[in-house]
Amino acid sequence: MNFEEHAAKPLLARYNIAVPKSRLAHTPAEAEDAARQIGPCVVKAQVPTGKRGKAGGIKLAGTPAEARQHAEAIIGMTIADWPVEKVLVEAQTAIDRELYLAILNDSATKGPMLLFSAMGGMDVEEVAERDPTAMRHFAISISDGPTLAIAQKAIEGLDLEAAGDELTATILNLYLAYRELDAELIEINPLVVTKENHVVALDCKLTLDDSAASRQKATAAQAAPERYTDLEAKAAAAGLKYIELGGSVGVLANGAGLTMTTMDVIAHYGGKPANFLEIGGEAYTKAKTALSILLENPNVKSLLVNFCGAFARTDVMAEGVVNAWEELKPDIPVFFTIHGTGEDEAIALVRERLGIEPYDLMDDAVKAAVAAANTRSPA
Amino acid sequence: MIPRKHHKLLIQGITGKQGTFWTKAMQDYGSNVIGGVNPKKAGTDHLGVPVFASAREASKTAPFDIACMFIPPMMAKDAAIDACEGGAKLLVCLTEHIPAHDVMEMHVAAKANGTRIVGPNTAGIVTVGECFVGIMPAFNDRVFKPGRIGVISRSGSLGTLISLNLAQEGFGQSVFYGVGGDPMIGTTSADALRMLDEDAETDAVVLCGEIGGNAEETAAEYASTMKKPVAAFIAGRQSPPGKKMGHAGAIVSGGKGDYASKRAALEKAGVAVADTPSQIPGLIRQRLKAA
C-alpha cells in the first residue's frame, strides 16, 4: 500500500528526520488560511504518484492569496489518472543541494538495499540511467542493519561534510523507519541540505508491505485508498483478487499462474478476457462470492471456469460455482475445464447438476467460450 | 537438492487441517515422514509419527533432512529459523503472504545454517513416482506419470496444468520443482534449472515462468549453457502493468519484468517458448528429436 506525502512525512518526523512545517488543505480557503500561518509556502497536490511537479501540481506561493490561487488550480486536476482532492501547504525551504535517499527490499540480494545520490530532485531515475555511478548502492544485512561506516561511505567524497553528521543520522534513522514500518520502499527525494547546512526531507514516498498490514494496523490506516472500480472494491472487501480488464470472456480460475495463463490463452484464440479473478490459496472456498461479483460485470458474455487443483480442491470450488449458478441463474453460457485434486467429483457435479460436460482440453474450453462471447458481443 | 525416498521429512504444523491432509497424502505417495512439530502437542503421535515441540528438539532424537512448513504467515519466520537451526538441508516453505522483512531474516538464517529454502509461496516438489513434499496433486496419475521431463514453475496451478499437458501427450515427468510466487525466493528458476540439468533422470526441462522480476532472464543465462532441451511458457502476456497479478512477485513495474523481455531473453538462449501451455509437449518432442 502507498502513502501520500502528507501521511508519510509525519512518519519521518517520528524517526527524527526533519520535515518542513505544513498543513493539509481540502479547499482553496483552507490553503489560504494555512499559508497565513506558515508564511511563504509550496502548494503541493496530494496524490500517491510521482511526477507531480512536472504535471503542474507543485507551485510556490509568496502570499496567502497566491496560495489560494494555486490551490484553486491544483484541486480538481488529474495527475496520472488520480484526481487531486487536497493539497499540502508547506513552508518554503532555502535549498542549497538536492540529494536522494532510499531504502528498499532488493530481490537480487534478498535483503535491504540503501540508495544514495548527490543528484536528487526531479529526473533522478533518468540521471541514474545515463550515469550509473550517480546512484550509490549498499546492500545491508537485515540482521545487523547499516553501520555508521556505511552511512559515511554513502556520502563520501561528495563535498557534504558541513551537513555530514545530520546526513549520516538521517540515513540511520530512515533505516529504522524502514524496519519498524515494514516498508517495501521508503524514499526521500529530494532530501535537501539547506543554506544553513541542515538536512530536511522535502518529500517522502512510502510503500508498506501488504503482507505486514496486520501488524502495522495504525500505519496502514493512513495509506492512500487503492484505486478500485466498484466491483474491484467489493471483491477486495470479500478478500478476493479481482481486476477488471474490459473484455467479454469472464475468467474464474484457481491460482495466480493459471488465471494469468487462462487470460493469455483467451487472447491467443481471439477473445478478450473480462477479468482476472483467482480463487486459489485460502480463497478456494469463496467460489460463490467470486462468481456473483464476476457476473455483475455487464460486459461478460460468456464464462470460462478453469480449475487445476493442487492445494485448492476442485470439488469444493465446483460445488461453490454450481450452487451460485443455480441461485443466480445467469443468462450466459458457461464452459468448464477441470483437472487435479478432486476432479472426478467436480466433473460429476457439473455434469449432474448443470447438465454441462466439462472439456477435457483447456484449449477446447477456451475456444468455445471465446466463440460464444464473440457471437453475443456487439462488434 | 531433489527430494528422494530416503530423505527424512519433518512436517511443521503437522496437526492442523491442511498439515494432516497433505502429510497423509505425502506418506501414501512414499515420502519418508519421520515426525512433526506442534509445540502444544509435543510428546504425542500424529499419523503414526512423533510430534515435537520444535524442529531443534526433533533434531536431537529424530534428525531430518527436509522440513516442510504448514505455518501461517505471521509465525512463518520463527518456524523457518527453527527448521534451519534444527539442521534442515532443505526447507520447503509453502506459506504465502509472509512479510518481506521476515523473509529476508529467513534467508539470513538459511545461509548461516547451510539450508536451502524453496519458496516462500511454493506448491512444493514432486519426485514423480518416488515421493513429494508440499501441496501438489502428485497422486493424480492423469497429471503426474513417471518419466524424463523436468518441470519448473513459479506457480502451482500453472505447473499442474503443464504437467497435465505433458501427461496427455504421453510425456512422464522426472521432477516437478515449484520455486514459488514470491519476489524473494530461496531457490530461483535458474537454481532449479541447474539441478535438473545435473539430474541423470531428466532429459529435457519445461520452465513455467510469469511476469515480474528477472527470474526468467537469469534462467535464460543458465539455459544458454545447457545441452538438454528447454521449453518455456511465460504467463502474464495479457496482464496490465502496475497490478499485482495474485502473486506478490507477478507485477510489471516501471517497464521491468514484462513478457517481451522474458521471451526475448529465453529465445536468445535457445529456449523454445510456447504461446499456450498446450504447445509445450510438441516443442519438447521437436527438441528431443533434434538433440
Side-chain angles (χ1 to χ4, degrees):
Chain A
M1 58 193 73
N2 293 309
F3 290 71
E4 289 169 355
E5 180 190 7
H6 68 89
K9 273 185 171 163
L11 296 169
L12 290 184
R14 202 194 290 167
Y15 289 92
N16 297 315
I17 296 171
V19 295
K21 194 175 167 190
S22 70
R23 250 180 69 183
L24 191 64
H26 294 83
T27 64
E30 280 179 26
E32 184 178 0
D33 190 46
R36 203 167 284 130
Q37 286 188 355
I38 288 170
C41 61
V42 194
V43 181
K44 304 168 91 176
Q46 294 299 292
V47 278
T49 176
K51 313 275 176 207
R52 292 174 296 161
K54 277 197 175 153
I58 298 180
K59 299 273 186 205
L60 288 170
T63 64
E66 230 181 314
R68 182 189 183 104
Q69 280 168 14
H70 290 323
E72 270 165 6
I74 292 171
I75 295 174
M77 279 177 73
T78 301
I79 301 178
D81 292 334
W82 290 92
V84 180
E85 290 164 352
K86 48 197 181 296
V87 291
L88 189 68
V89 178
E90 184 172 84
Q92 290 184 13
T93 305
I95 300 169
D96 183 40
R97 290 188 69 173
E98 292 193 323
L99 315 171
Y100 173 96
L101 172 64
I103 300 162
L104 51 85
N105 297 348
D106 180 56
S107 38
T109 55
K110 295 167 197 169
M113 181 70 74
L114 166 70
L115 302 181
F116 182 83
S117 174
M119 293 190 246
M122 282 202 241
D123 301 327
V124 66
E125 288 93 351
E126 289 83 346
V127 170
E129 197 130 299
R130 274 198 307 274
D131 175 12
T133 62
M135 188 66 82
R136 297 180 169 184
H137 295 67
F138 300 88
I140 307 295
S141 150
I142 187 111
S143 29
D144 305 335
T147 56
L148 180 61
I150 288 177
Q152 283 165 340
K153 200 150 191 265
I155 63 167
E156 191 178 69
L158 296 171
D159 195 22
L160 292 162
E161 288 76 8
D165 289 349
E166 278 191 37
L167 268 174
T168 50
T170 301
I171 291 171
L172 300 181
N173 286 334
L174 190 70
Y175 184 80
L176 266 187
Y178 159 84
R179 280 293 274 147
E180 290 188 15
L181 298 171
D182 269 305
E184 262 174 36
L185 163 74
I186 189 161
E187 175 190 273
I188 304 176
N189 184 33
L191 177 70
V192 304
V193 179
T194 65
K195 295 219 156 77
E196 298 81 30
N197 276 319
H198 290 302
V199 174
V200 180
L202 287 200
D203 195 4
C204 179
K205 183 175 171 187
L206 170 65
T207 306
L208 198 144
D209 180 358
D210 292 336
S211 296
S214 69
R215 68 182 182 202
Q216 297 288 351
K217 282 198 181 104
T219 310
Q222 307 290 312
E226 293 285 335
R227 192 165 30 175
Y228 284 141
T229 66
D230 291 348
L231 285 178
E232 285 171 352
K234 204 167 171 178
L240 291 165
K241 289 162 198 154
Y242 171 81
I243 299 169
E244 267 178 64
L245 300 168
S248 57
V249 183
V251 177
L252 184 62
N254 66 286
L258 184 67
T259 309
M260 280 192 278
T261 301
T262 308
M263 288 158 48
D264 296 344
V265 177
I266 287 171
H268 180 77
Y269 287 114
K272 288 201 176 87
N275 62 275
F276 173 94
L277 174 55
E278 65 125 329
I279 55 169
E282 296 291 345
Y284 76 94
T285 51
K286 294 182 187 164
K288 187 173 162 185
T289 321
L291 185 64
S292 60
I293 289 170
L294 192 155
L295 291 170
E296 267 187 65
N297 176 356
N299 298 329
V300 173
K301 304 297 178 202
S302 75
L303 175 65
L304 178 64
V305 179
N306 186 9
F307 292 150
C308 225
F311 177 79
R313 285 171 48 190
T314 60
D315 52 333
V316 176
M317 296 187 289
E319 193 179 355
V321 172
V322 169
N323 286 345
W325 198 264
E326 285 175 341
E327 200 176 309
L328 301 164
K329 298 190 176 56
D331 181 29
I332 57 165
V334 56
F335 304 87
F336 287 87
T337 176
I338 300 174
H339 302 93
T341 316
E343 66 177 60
D344 290 338
E345 296 83 348
I347 289 169
L349 195 77
V350 171
R351 197 181 279 149
E352 282 157 27
R353 298 220 350 233
L354 300 182
I356 292 170
E357 189 61 33
Y359 286 84
D360 191 34
L361 298 177
M362 171 180 165
D363 290 50
D364 292 340
V366 172
K367 283 184 215 166
V370 168
N374 287 350
T375 319
R376 292 161 60 94
S377 298
Chain B
M1 164 173 173
I2 294 169
R4 297 290 173 194
K5 227 176 173 125
H6 64 83
H7 286 133
K8 295 180 180 128
L9 176 58
L10 181 78
I11 310 291
Q12 296 172 283
I14 192 171
T15 58
K17 192 173 154 211
Q18 296 295 348
T20 300
F21 178 86
W22 288 100
T23 300
K24 187 151 190 324
M26 288 183 242
Q27 288 173 323
D28 291 348
Y29 195 68
S31 305
N32 180 18
V33 179
I34 57 97
V37 173
N38 175 347
K40 287 183 195 135
K41 296 192 178 161
T44 64
D45 277 0
H46 189 68
L47 301 173
V49 296
V51 179
F52 298 93
S54 66
R56 273 164 300 193
E57 202 51 46
S59 69
K60 291 178 193 160
T61 52
F64 55 92
D65 304 296
I66 304 174
C68 178
M69 288 169 54
F70 288 86
I71 303 288
M74 287 301 169
M75 296 154 76
K77 178 182 87 177
D78 289 345
I81 293 173
D82 178 35
C84 295
E85 291 178 351
K89 295 185 192 81
L90 182 72
L91 170 60
V92 177
C93 181
L94 308 170
T95 313
E96 187 176 7
H97 303 306
I98 305 175
H101 288 201
D102 291 4
V103 173
M104 296 190 241
E105 289 188 64
M106 287 163 49
H107 289 311
V108 170
K111 201 171 172 194
N113 291 283
T115 306
R116 168 177 287 286
I117 292 182
V118 176
N121 193 10
T122 172
I125 308 164
V126 185
T127 308
V128 183
E130 185 173 339
C131 64
F132 87 99
V133 186
I135 50 172
M136 287 296 289
F139 40 80
N140 186 321
D141 60 11
R142 271 166 278 185
V143 177
F144 288 108
K145 290 183 204 297
R148 303 193 57 85
I149 311 298
V151 179
I152 299 165
S153 184
R154 282 166 73 179
S155 152
S157 56
L158 175 57
T160 304
L161 176 72
I162 299 268
S163 300
L164 172 80
N165 283 148
L166 286 168
Q168 280 170 337
E169 295 287 323
F171 284 108
Q173 310 89 353
S174 51
V175 178
F176 169 86
Y177 219 102
V179 294
D182 262 23
M184 285 185 283
I185 51 176
T187 300
T188 63
S189 297
D191 295 335
L193 209 47
R194 183 188 308 269
M195 279 185 248
L196 294 177
D197 192 22
E198 288 165 1
D199 176 38
E201 314 291 314
T202 299
D203 291 341
V205 183
V206 181
L207 183 67
C208 313
E210 60 191 39
I211 51 161
N214 65 350
E216 290 72 21
E217 286 84 341
T218 317
E221 277 173 41
Y222 183 79
S224 68
T225 69
M226 283 174 66
K227 286 203 180 70
K228 290 180 187 178
V230 182
F233 174 76
I234 312 298
R237 191 176 201 170
Q238 295 298 320
S239 299
K243 306 241 184 206
K244 267 182 201 167
M245 302 307 286
H247 284 159
I251 180 167
V252 176
S253 58
K256 295 212 174 79
D258 67 2
Y259 180 86
S261 103
K262 292 176 184 300
R263 181 162 189 149
L266 287 165
E267 284 179 339
K268 194 171 161 233
V271 173
V273 182
D275 292 321
T276 66
S278 59
Q279 293 175 354
I280 287 284
L283 292 174
I284 287 285
R285 187 167 290 124
Q286 236 174 47
R287 294 292 170 115
L288 279 173
K289 227 177 252 169

Coordinates of all heavy atoms in Angstrom, one line a residue, chain A residues 282-343:
Chain A
E282 N -6.0 -19.8 0.0 CA -7.1 -20.0 1.0 C -8.4 -19.5 0.5 O -9.4 -19.7 1.2 CB -6.7 -19.1 2.3 CG -5.4 -19.6 3.0 CD -5.6 -20.9 3.7 OE1 -6.7 -21.4 3.8 OE2 -4.5 -21.5 4.0
A283 N -8.5 -18.9 -0.7 CA -9.7 -18.3 -1.2 C -10.6 -19.4 -1.9 O -11.6 -19.1 -2.4 CB -9.5 -17.1 -2.1
Y284 N -10.1 -20.6 -1.9 CA -10.8 -21.6 -2.8 C -12.2 -22.0 -2.3 O -13.0 -22.5 -3.1 CB -9.9 -22.8 -3.0 CG -9.8 -23.8 -1.9 CD1 -10.7 -24.9 -1.9 CD2 -8.9 -23.7 -0.9 CE1 -10.6 -25.8 -0.9 CE2 -8.8 -24.6 0.1 CZ -9.7 -25.7 0.1 OH -9.6 -26.6 1.1
T285 N -12.5 -21.6 -1.1 CA -13.9 -21.9 -0.7 C -14.9 -20.7 -1.0 O -16.0 -20.8 -0.7 CB -13.9 -22.0 0.9 OG1 -13.2 -20.9 1.4 CG2 -13.1 -23.3 1.3
K286 N -14.3 -19.7 -1.6 CA -15.2 -18.5 -1.9 C -15.7 -18.4 -3.3 O -16.0 -17.4 -3.8 CB -14.3 -17.2 -1.6 CG -14.0 -17.1 -0.2 CD -13.2 -15.8 0.0 CE -12.6 -15.7 1.5 NZ -11.6 -14.7 1.6
A287 N -15.9 -19.6 -3.9 CA -16.3 -19.6 -5.4 C -17.6 -18.9 -5.6 O -17.7 -18.2 -6.6 CB -16.4 -21.1 -5.8
K288 N -18.5 -19.0 -4.6 CA -19.8 -18.4 -4.8 C -19.8 -16.9 -4.8 O -20.3 -16.2 -5.7 CB -20.7 -18.9 -3.7 CG -22.2 -18.5 -3.9 CD -23.1 -19.2 -2.9 CE -24.4 -18.5 -2.8 NZ -25.2 -19.0 -1.8
T289 N -19.1 -16.3 -3.8 CA -18.9 -14.9 -3.8 C -18.2 -14.4 -5.1 O -18.6 -13.4 -5.7 CB -18.0 -14.5 -2.6 OG1 -18.4 -15.3 -1.5 CG2 -18.2 -13.0 -2.2
A290 N -17.2 -15.1 -5.4 CA -16.4 -14.8 -6.6 C -17.3 -14.7 -7.9 O -17.3 -13.7 -8.6 CB -15.3 -15.7 -6.8
L291 N -18.1 -15.7 -8.0 CA -18.9 -15.8 -9.2 C -19.9 -14.7 -9.3 O -20.2 -14.1 -10.3 CB -19.6 -17.2 -9.3 CG -20.4 -17.4 -10.5 CD1 -19.5 -17.5 -11.7 CD2 -21.2 -18.7 -10.4
S292 N -20.5 -14.4 -8.1 CA -21.6 -13.4 -8.2 C -21.0 -12.0 -8.5 O -21.6 -11.2 -9.2 CB -22.4 -13.3 -6.9 OG -21.5 -13.1 -5.8
I293 N -19.8 -11.7 -8.0 CA -19.1 -10.5 -8.4 C -18.8 -10.4 -9.9 O -19.0 -9.5 -10.6 CB -17.8 -10.3 -7.5 CG1 -18.2 -10.0 -6.1 CG2 -16.9 -9.2 -8.1 CD1 -17.1 -10.0 -5.1
L294 N -18.2 -11.5 -10.4 CA -17.9 -11.6 -11.8 C -19.1 -11.4 -12.7 O -19.0 -10.7 -13.7 CB -17.3 -13.0 -12.0 CG -16.6 -13.3 -13.3 CD1 -15.6 -14.5 -13.1 CD2 -17.5 -13.7 -14.4
L295 N -20.2 -11.9 -12.3 CA -21.4 -11.9 -13.2 C -22.1 -10.5 -13.1 O -22.9 -10.1 -14.0 CB -22.4 -12.9 -12.8 CG -22.0 -14.4 -13.1 CD1 -22.9 -15.3 -12.4 CD2 -21.9 -14.6 -14.6
E296 N -21.7 -9.7 -12.1 CA -22.3 -8.3 -12.0 C -21.7 -7.4 -13.1 O -22.2 -6.4 -13.4 CB -21.9 -7.7 -10.7 CG -23.1 -7.9 -9.7 CD -22.8 -7.1 -8.4 OE1 -22.8 -5.9 -8.4 OE2 -22.5 -7.8 -7.4
N297 N -20.6 -7.8 -13.7 CA -19.9 -7.0 -14.8 C -20.8 -7.3 -16.1 O -20.8 -8.3 -16.6 CB -18.5 -7.5 -15.0 CG -17.8 -6.8 -16.2 OD1 -18.4 -6.1 -16.9 ND2 -16.5 -7.1 -16.3
P298 N -21.4 -6.2 -16.6 CA -22.3 -6.4 -17.7 C -21.6 -6.7 -19.0 O -22.3 -7.2 -20.0 CB -23.0 -5.0 -17.9 CG -22.1 -4.0 -17.2 CD -21.4 -4.8 -16.1
N299 N -20.3 -6.5 -19.1 CA -19.5 -6.9 -20.3 C -19.3 -8.4 -20.5 O -19.0 -8.8 -21.6 CB -18.2 -6.2 -20.3 CG -18.3 -4.7 -20.3 OD1 -19.2 -4.1 -20.8 ND2 -17.3 -4.1 -19.6
V300 N -19.6 -9.1 -19.5 CA -19.3 -10.6 -19.5 C -20.4 -11.3 -20.4 O -21.5 -11.3 -20.0 CB -19.2 -11.2 -18.1 CG1 -19.1 -12.7 -18.2 CG2 -18.1 -10.6 -17.3
K301 N -19.9 -11.9 -21.5 CA -20.9 -12.5 -22.4 C -20.8 -14.1 -22.3 O -21.6 -14.8 -22.8 CB -20.6 -12.1 -23.9 CG -20.7 -10.6 -24.1 CD -22.1 -10.0 -23.7 CE -22.1 -8.5 -23.9 NZ -23.2 -7.9 -23.1
S302 N -19.7 -14.6 -21.8 CA -19.6 -16.0 -21.6 C -18.6 -16.2 -20.4 O -17.8 -15.3 -20.1 CB -19.1 -16.7 -22.9 OG -17.7 -16.5 -23.0
L303 N -18.7 -17.4 -19.8 CA -17.8 -17.6 -18.7 C -17.0 -18.8 -18.9 O -17.5 -19.9 -19.3 CB -18.7 -17.7 -17.4 CG -17.9 -18.1 -16.1 CD1 -17.0 -17.0 -15.7 CD2 -18.9 -18.4 -15.0
L304 N -15.7 -18.7 -18.5 CA -14.8 -19.9 -18.6 C -14.4 -20.2 -17.2 O -13.8 -19.3 -16.5 CB -13.6 -19.5 -19.5 CG -12.5 -20.5 -19.6 CD1 -13.0 -21.8 -20.3 CD2 -11.3 -20.0 -20.3
V305 N -14.6 -21.4 -16.8 CA -14.2 -21.9 -15.4 C -13.1 -22.9 -15.6 O -13.3 -23.9 -16.3 CB -15.4 -22.5 -14.7 CG1 -14.9 -23.0 -13.3 CG2 -16.5 -21.6 -14.5
N306 N -11.9 -22.5 -15.2 CA -10.7 -23.3 -15.4 C -10.1 -23.7 -14.1 O -9.4 -22.8 -13.4 CB -9.7 -22.6 -16.3 CG -8.5 -23.5 -16.7 OD1 -8.5 -24.7 -16.4 ND2 -7.5 -22.8 -17.3
F307 N -10.2 -24.9 -13.6 CA -9.6 -25.3 -12.3 C -8.6 -26.4 -12.6 O -8.7 -27.3 -13.3 CB -10.7 -25.9 -11.4 CG -11.7 -24.9 -10.9 CD1 -13.0 -25.3 -10.6 CD2 -11.4 -23.6 -10.7 CE1 -14.0 -24.4 -10.2 CE2 -12.3 -22.6 -10.3 CZ -13.6 -23.1 -10.0
C308 N -7.4 -26.1 -11.9 CA -6.3 -27.1 -12.0 C -5.9 -27.2 -10.5 O -5.0 -26.5 -10.1 CB -5.2 -26.6 -12.9 SG -4.6 -27.9 -14.0
G309 N -6.5 -28.1 -9.8 CA -6.4 -28.0 -8.3 C -5.2 -28.8 -7.8 O -4.9 -29.9 -8.2
A310 N -4.5 -28.1 -6.9 CA -3.4 -28.8 -6.1 C -3.9 -28.7 -4.7 O -4.7 -29.5 -4.2 CB -2.1 -28.2 -6.4
F311 N -3.5 -27.6 -4.0 CA -4.0 -27.3 -2.7 C -5.5 -27.0 -2.8 O -6.3 -27.5 -1.9 CB -3.2 -26.0 -2.2 CG -3.7 -25.5 -0.9 CD1 -3.2 -26.1 0.3 CD2 -4.5 -24.4 -0.8 CE1 -3.6 -25.7 1.5 CE2 -4.9 -23.9 0.5 CZ -4.4 -24.6 1.6
A312 N -5.9 -26.2 -3.8 CA -7.3 -25.9 -3.9 C -8.0 -27.1 -4.5 O -7.7 -27.7 -5.5 CB -7.5 -24.7 -4.9
R313 N -9.0 -27.6 -3.8 CA -9.8 -28.8 -4.2 C -10.8 -28.4 -5.2 O -11.7 -27.6 -5.0 CB -10.4 -29.5 -3.0 CG -9.4 -30.2 -2.1 CD -10.0 -30.7 -0.8 NE -11.2 -31.4 -1.0 CZ -12.0 -31.7 0.0 NH1 -11.7 -31.4 1.3 NH2 -13.2 -32.3 -0.2
T314 N -10.7 -29.0 -6.4 CA -11.7 -28.7 -7.5 C -13.1 -29.0 -7.1 O -14.0 -28.4 -7.5 CB -11.3 -29.4 -8.8 OG1 -11.3 -30.8 -8.6 CG2 -9.9 -28.9 -9.3
D315 N -13.3 -30.1 -6.3 CA -14.7 -30.4 -5.9 C -15.3 -29.4 -5.1 O -16.5 -29.0 -5.2 CB -14.8 -31.8 -5.2 CG -13.8 -31.9 -4.1 OD1 -12.8 -31.2 -4.1 OD2 -14.1 -32.7 -3.2
V316 N -14.5 -28.8 -4.1 CA -15.1 -27.7 -3.3 C -15.4 -26.5 -4.1 O -16.4 -25.8 -4.0 CB -14.1 -27.3 -2.2 CG1 -14.6 -26.2 -1.3 CG2 -13.8 -28.5 -1.3
M317 N -14.4 -26.1 -5.1 CA -14.6 -24.9 -5.9 C -15.8 -25.1 -6.8 O -16.7 -24.3 -7.0 CB -13.4 -24.7 -6.7 CG -12.2 -24.3 -5.8 SD -10.8 -23.7 -6.8 CE -10.2 -25.3 -7.5
A318 N -15.9 -26.3 -7.4 CA -17.0 -26.6 -8.4 C -18.4 -26.6 -7.7 O -19.3 -26.0 -8.2 CB -16.8 -28.0 -9.0
E319 N -18.4 -27.0 -6.4 CA -19.7 -27.0 -5.7 C -20.1 -25.6 -5.5 O -21.3 -25.2 -5.6 CB -19.5 -27.8 -4.4 CG -20.9 -28.0 -3.7 CD -20.8 -28.8 -2.4 OE1 -19.7 -29.2 -2.0 OE2 -21.9 -28.9 -1.8
G320 N -19.1 -24.7 -5.1 CA -19.4 -23.3 -4.9 C -20.0 -22.7 -6.2 O -21.0 -21.9 -6.2
V321 N -19.4 -23.0 -7.3 CA -19.8 -22.4 -8.6 C -21.2 -23.0 -9.0 O -22.1 -22.2 -9.4 CB -18.8 -22.8 -9.7 CG1 -19.3 -22.4 -11.1 CG2 -17.5 -22.1 -9.5
V322 N -21.4 -24.2 -8.8 CA -22.7 -24.8 -9.2 C -23.8 -24.3 -8.3 O -24.9 -23.9 -8.8 CB -22.6 -26.4 -9.1 CG1 -24.0 -27.0 -9.2 CG2 -21.7 -26.9 -10.2
N323 N -23.6 -24.2 -7.0 CA -24.6 -23.6 -6.1 C -24.9 -22.2 -6.6 O -26.1 -21.8 -6.6 CB -24.0 -23.5 -4.7 CG -24.0 -24.9 -4.0 OD1 -24.7 -25.8 -4.5 ND2 -23.3 -25.0 -2.9
A324 N -23.9 -21.4 -6.8 CA -24.1 -20.0 -7.2 C -24.8 -19.9 -8.5 O -25.7 -19.1 -8.7 CB -22.8 -19.2 -7.3
W325 N -24.5 -20.8 -9.4 CA -25.1 -20.8 -10.8 C -26.6 -21.1 -10.7 O -27.4 -20.4 -11.3 CB -24.4 -21.8 -11.7 CG -24.6 -21.6 -13.1 CD1 -25.6 -22.1 -13.9 CD2 -23.9 -20.6 -13.9 NE1 -25.6 -21.6 -15.1 CE2 -24.5 -20.7 -15.2 CE3 -22.9 -19.8 -13.7 CZ2 -24.1 -19.9 -16.3 CZ3 -22.4 -19.0 -14.8 CH2 -23.0 -19.1 -16.1
E326 N -26.9 -22.0 -9.8 CA -28.3 -22.4 -9.7 C -29.1 -21.3 -9.0 O -30.3 -21.0 -9.3 CB -28.5 -23.7 -8.8 CG -28.1 -24.9 -9.6 CD -28.1 -26.2 -8.8 OE1 -28.0 -26.1 -7.5 OE2 -28.1 -27.3 -9.4
E327 N -28.4 -20.6 -8.1 CA -29.1 -19.5 -7.4 C -29.3 -18.2 -8.3 O -30.3 -17.6 -8.3 CB -28.3 -19.2 -6.2 CG -29.0 -18.4 -5.1 CD -28.1 -18.3 -3.9 OE1 -27.5 -19.3 -3.4 OE2 -28.0 -17.1 -3.4
L328 N -28.2 -17.9 -9.0 CA -28.2 -16.7 -9.8 C -28.8 -16.8 -11.2 O -29.2 -15.8 -11.8 CB -26.8 -16.1 -9.9 CG -26.0 -15.8 -8.6 CD1 -24.5 -15.7 -8.9 CD2 -26.5 -14.6 -8.0
K329 N -28.9 -18.0 -11.7 CA -29.4 -18.3 -13.0 C -29.0 -17.3 -14.0 O -29.8 -16.7 -14.7 CB -31.0 -18.4 -12.9 CG -31.5 -19.5 -12.0 CD -33.0 -19.6 -12.2 CE -33.6 -20.7 -11.3 NZ -33.2 -20.6 -9.9
P330 N -27.7 -17.1 -14.3 CA -27.2 -16.1 -15.2 C -27.6 -16.5 -16.7 O -27.7 -17.7 -17.0 CB -25.7 -16.1 -15.0 CG -25.4 -17.3 -14.2 CD -26.6 -17.9 -13.7
D331 N -27.8 -15.5 -17.5 CA -28.2 -15.7 -18.8 C -27.0 -15.7 -19.8 O -27.0 -15.1 -20.8 CB -29.2 -14.6 -19.2 CG -29.7 -14.7 -20.6 OD1 -29.8 -15.9 -21.1 OD2 -30.0 -13.7 -21.3
I332 N -26.0 -16.4 -19.4 CA -24.8 -16.5 -20.3 C -24.3 -18.0 -20.3 O -24.6 -18.7 -19.3 CB -23.6 -15.6 -19.8 CG1 -23.2 -15.9 -18.4 CG2 -24.0 -14.1 -20.0 CD1 -21.9 -15.3 -18.0
P333 N -23.7 -18.4 -21.4 CA -23.2 -19.7 -21.4 C -21.9 -19.9 -20.6 O -21.1 -18.9 -20.5 CB -22.8 -20.0 -22.9 CG -22.7 -18.6 -23.5 CD -23.5 -17.6 -22.7
V334 N -21.7 -21.1 -20.0 CA -20.5 -21.3 -19.2 C -19.8 -22.6 -19.7 O -20.4 -23.5 -20.1 CB -20.9 -21.4 -17.7 CG1 -22.0 -22.5 -17.5 CG2 -19.7 -21.7 -16.8
F335 N -18.5 -22.5 -19.6 CA -17.7 -23.6 -20.1 C -16.7 -24.0 -19.0 O -16.0 -23.1 -18.5 CB -16.9 -23.2 -21.4 CG -17.9 -22.7 -22.5 CD1 -18.3 -21.3 -22.5 CD2 -18.4 -23.5 -23.4 CE1 -19.2 -20.9 -23.4 CE2 -19.3 -23.1 -24.3 CZ -19.7 -21.7 -24.3
F336 N -16.6 -25.3 -18.8 CA -15.7 -25.8 -17.7 C -14.6 -26.6 -18.2 O -14.7 -27.3 -19.2 CB -16.5 -26.7 -16.8 CG -17.5 -26.0 -15.9 CD1 -18.8 -25.8 -16.4 CD2 -17.2 -25.6 -14.6 CE1 -19.8 -25.1 -15.6 CE2 -18.1 -25.0 -13.8 CZ -19.4 -24.8 -14.3
T337 N -13.4 -26.5 -17.6 CA -12.3 -27.5 -17.8 C -11.7 -27.7 -16.4 O -11.4 -26.7 -15.7 CB -11.4 -27.1 -18.9 OG1 -10.3 -28.0 -18.9 CG2 -10.8 -25.7 -18.7
I338 N -11.7 -28.9 -15.9 CA -11.3 -29.2 -14.5 C -10.3 -30.3 -14.4 O -10.6 -31.4 -15.0 CB -12.6 -29.6 -13.7 CG1 -13.6 -28.4 -13.8 CG2 -12.2 -29.9 -12.3 CD1 -15.0 -28.8 -13.1
H339 N -9.2 -30.1 -13.7 CA -8.2 -31.1 -13.5 C -7.6 -31.0 -12.1 O -7.6 -29.9 -11.5 CB -7.1 -31.0 -14.6 CG -7.6 -31.1 -16.0 ND1 -7.9 -30.0 -16.7 CD2 -7.9 -32.2 -16.8 CE1 -8.4 -30.4 -17.9 NE2 -8.4 -31.7 -18.0
G340 N -7.0 -32.1 -11.7 CA -6.3 -32.0 -10.4 C -7.1 -32.5 -9.2 O -8.1 -33.2 -9.4
T341 N -6.7 -32.1 -8.0 CA -7.3 -32.7 -6.8 C -8.9 -32.6 -6.8 O -9.4 -31.5 -7.0 CB -6.8 -31.9 -5.6 OG1 -5.4 -31.7 -5.7 CG2 -7.1 -32.6 -4.3
G342 N -9.5 -33.7 -6.7 CA -11.0 -33.8 -6.6 C -11.7 -33.7 -8.0 O -12.9 -33.4 -8.0
E343 N -11.0 -33.9 -9.1 CA -11.6 -33.7 -10.4 C -12.7 -34.6 -10.7 O -13.7 -34.2 -11.3 CB -10.5 -33.7 -11.5 CG -9.9 -35.1 -11.7 CD -8.9 -35.1 -12.9 OE1 -7.9 -34.4 -12.8 OE2 -9.1 -35.9 -13.8

